[in-house]
């Protein structure tokens, strides 16, 4: 389970996907498969969560990694490059962005 703390010792990555109601579930299935079959088994992976808006036009993914280099190595692997080509075909766009936790409330 992702745990948000500040300061954070891990690398946070938030990826947003633009999709359509007609392909949202297919994209979610591909993301579930990617996490269960590959991503969660990669060195440095800590945790992740998937979020879907009510209109099923956006998916947000929050993931945590031990180091930014771990996330980058996973992204550059042949397996993930193949999966990302499939994922790209199911959405209008997607963009992974690395963040630092600035503050936590509550």
């Amino acid at each position: 389970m992702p745990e948000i703390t500040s300061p954070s010792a891990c690398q946070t990555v938030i990826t947003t996907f633009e999709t359509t109601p007609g392909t949202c579930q297919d994209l979610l299935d591909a993301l579930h498969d990617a996490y269960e079959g590959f991503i969660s088994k990669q060195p440095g992976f800590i945790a992740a969560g998937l979020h879907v808006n009510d209109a099923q036009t956006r998916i947000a993914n929050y993931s945590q990694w031990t180091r930014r280099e771990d996330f980058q190595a996973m992204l550059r692997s042949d397996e993930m490059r193949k999966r990302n080509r499939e994922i790209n075909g199911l959405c209008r766009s997607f963009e992974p962005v690395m963040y630092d936790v600035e503050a936590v409330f509550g």
Side-chain angles (χ1 to χ4, degrees):
M1 171 183 292
E3 185 175 315
I4 304 171
T5 60
S6 180
S8 178
C10 65
Q11 177 64 62
T12 299
V13 181
I14 300 174
T15 306
T16 54
F17 302 83
E18 284 190 55
T19 189
T20 65
T23 58
C24 184
Q25 188 58 54
D26 294 331
L27 179 55
L28 281 170
D29 291 345
L31 292 169
H32 277 262
D33 186 62
Y35 270 101
E36 290 174 359
F38 181 70
I39 299 170
S40 64
K41 296 169 177 51
Q42 297 310 294
F45 175 81
I46 298 171
L50 291 170
H51 309 264
V52 180
N53 72 337
D54 288 346
Q56 294 189 328
T57 56
R58 292 192 185 272
I59 296 173
N61 169 242
Y62 183 95
S63 65
Q64 293 176 323
W65 296 82
T66 303
R67 302 173 313 129
R68 69 186 301 122
E69 293 83 8
D70 295 326
F71 174 73
Q72 291 169 328
M74 178 279 300
L75 260 189
R76 293 176 181 141
S77 70
D78 290 341
E79 175 72 18
M80 200 62 218
R81 290 174 64 211
K82 176 184 167 193
R83 288 177 183 267
N84 275 340
R85 285 190 290 276
E86 175 191 352
I87 289 167
N88 190 53
L90 295 171
C91 60
R92 293 184 184 130
S93 67
F94 72 97
E95 181 181 19
V97 179
M98 292 186 219
Y99 291 89
D100 293 320
V101 177
E102 178 61 31
V104 176
F105 304 93

